[in-house]
Each structure stands twice: as C-alpha cells, then as structure tokens.
C-alpha cells in the first residue's frame, strides 16, 4: 500500500468571489482565513503490475491472416452475387444472349439439339449414369431424346395431334423430335425470343427433311396465336 496526502476543505464560513480570487496556499501569498489546509492520510491500493503480452506471435499472426483472407473472400463473394451476370436492359436482352450462344455453337456441340435434361432409368442410375464417371453408361444426347418420350407418355396427349406448340424451343431439338414422332399429319411450331435460334432451328429442320416443323420469334408472354389454336403445348 502507498500513502498519499490529499487536500480537504475544513468546514468554514461561506466565501465570496474575492475570496476565491485570492491565493490559498501560503507559498502563493497571504492565506485566505476561510480555507485551511489539512493533511489526511488516505489508503490507496496500488494496481498490480501489468502483465507483459506479446501482441503478435506466430500463431496469432496466422489466425489474423486467415481471418482477413476469409473476410476478403466473403466480400468478393457478396459483390459477385450482387452483380447481375446478365442484367435486364430491355425486352430483347435475353434474345440477344441466346443469339450469342447459338452463334458460338458451344452448347450445340456438347449438348446436342436439346439443351435440357435427360432421362435415366433406375438401373442406369445404379450404374452411375448422369454423372461424370458414369458418362459411358448411357449416351447423354440419347438420354435427352428419352426424356422427351417419357414426358410425352406422361402427358397422355392424343396420338396424332393436329397442331403442337413448343414454347421456348431453343434450336428446335424437341420440336423436330415431336414432328418425327407424330408424322407429317402434325404441324409443330416452335417459338423463341432469339432470331438466331429460329434461323438455326429452320436450317436443321430442312437438313432433316421435316417440313412439318416451323419456327417463329415470339415472346411467350405476348403470343399472337388465337385461342384454342393448338392441341398440345410443350414447355419443357
């Protein structure tokens, strides 16, 4: 413990402004009788000496670096998620993107004419079909054609519908498959937002000798067909 002296005021008469302006300590001049300096012993507990800490050790620096790296990665991820990859600009934005994909022909090369799902039986799946390691169990393009057939069977549509509409036809893979399946007595019409997809779909229909498959640029939300035009509407 350490003992320190503290100044305390003795109970005395009230003071005026002049009293407060005069020096109080004797060493500062004449003492004010209204004040007396007394000594009082005060017991003060001294604080224990502070422990010495090393701010950065090797382990602490590693954890700090890892935390900063994680925070930076989270910031970048949030920025990427908040940045639209294909911002909506006008009514032709999606169509222009599909135009670019069609001209590149990358999807057509790897995915074939159907840029959608494939169908795999339970036996196929048990052998790993539909995965990268099981790619040889069943042909990817064949699986897509099977998917069309399974969906057609599930729909319970008439055997020979006169008119079929394929909504969002892409480059017309499903439209042409339906045209082949139903035969020349069925007219299949595919619609898409992309002029380039219509162009490519028409080319493939001519190459495959399918005059009963035709394609138009049209927004599915603003279709121009009269009511009850089609016997079957395909949208998958």
């Amino acid at each position: 413990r350490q003992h320190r002296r503290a100044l305390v005021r003795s109970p005395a008469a009230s003071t005026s402004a002049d009293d407060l302006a005069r020096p109080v300590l004797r060493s500062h001049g004449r003492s004010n009788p209204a004040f007396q300096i007394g000594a009082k012993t005060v017991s003060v507990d001294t604080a224990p000496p502070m422990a010495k800490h090393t701010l950065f050790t090797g382990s602490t620096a590693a954890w700090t670096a890892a935390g900063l790296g994680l925070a930076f990665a989270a910031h970048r991820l949030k920025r990427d998620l908040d940045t639209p990859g294909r911002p909506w600009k006008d009514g032709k934005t999606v169509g222009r993107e599909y135009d670019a994909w069609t001209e590149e022909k990358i999807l057509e090369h790897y995915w074939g004419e159907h840029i959608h799902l494939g169908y795999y039986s339970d036996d196929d799946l048990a052998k790993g079909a539909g995965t990268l390691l099981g790619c040889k169990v069943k042909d990817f393009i064949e699986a897509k054609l099977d998917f069309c057939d399974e969906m057609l069977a599930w729909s319970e549509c008439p055997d020979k519908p006169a008119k079929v509409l394929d909504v969002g036809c892409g480059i017309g893979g499903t439209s042409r498959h339906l045209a082949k399946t139903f035969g020349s007595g069925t007219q299949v019409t595919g619609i898409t937002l992309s002029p380039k997809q219509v162009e490519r779909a028409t080319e493939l229909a001519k190459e495959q000798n399918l005059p009963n498959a035709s394609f138009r640029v049209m927004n599915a939300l603003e279709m121009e067909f009269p009511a009850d035009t089609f016997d079957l509407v395909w949208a998958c």
Side-chain angles (χ1 to χ4, degrees), residues 2-174:
Q2 294 181 352
H3 297 283
R4 299 180 180 177
R5 292 182 178 275
L7 299 181
V8 295
R9 177 181 173 180
S10 63
S14 62
T15 58
S16 65
D18 293 337
D19 294 331
L20 295 176
R22 296 189 186 98
V24 175
L25 298 178
R26 296 181 182 275
S27 59
H28 292 174
R30 184 177 179 180
S31 177
N32 184 346
F35 285 88
Q36 293 180 0
I37 304 301
K40 181 178 181 181
T41 301
V42 180
S43 178
V44 180
D45 291 332
T46 59
M50 295 184 63
K52 295 182 180 181
H53 296 283
T54 303
L55 293 181
F56 291 99
T57 63
S59 177
T60 302
W63 279 107
T64 302
L68 291 174
L70 182 61
F72 178 75
H75 171 73
R76 287 294 300 272
L77 177 61
K78 183 179 185 306
R79 188 183 68 177
D80 290 343
L81 292 176
D82 291 341
T83 302
R86 187 173 65 192
W88 177 264
K89 297 178 181 178
D90 52 52
K92 297 182 179 180
T93 302
V94 177
R96 284 196 296 267
E97 289 295 323
Y98 288 163
D99 283 347
W101 295 349
T102 303
E103 289 183 314
E104 291 171 350
K105 293 188 177 181
I106 295 178
L107 291 179
E108 183 180 345
H109 176 77
Y110 288 105
W111 287 61
E113 299 181 23
H114 304 264
I115 309 175
H116 279 293
L117 304 175
Y119 175 81
Y120 302 92
S121 66
D122 291 338
D123 291 339
D124 293 333
L125 294 175
K127 296 175 183 178
T131 67
L132 184 61
L133 296 178
C135 61
K136 294 184 178 180
V137 174
K138 185 175 183 178
D139 182 74
F140 187 41
I141 296 177
E142 178 187 349
K144 294 185 179 187
L145 293 174
D146 289 347
F147 175 76
C148 293
D149 293 336
E150 290 292 331
M151 291 299 295
L152 187 59
W154 176 81
S155 70
E156 299 182 354
C157 75
D159 292 338
K160 298 291 183 180
K163 292 185 178 181
V164 176
L165 176 65
D166 184 4
V167 181
C169 64
I171 60 173
T174 300

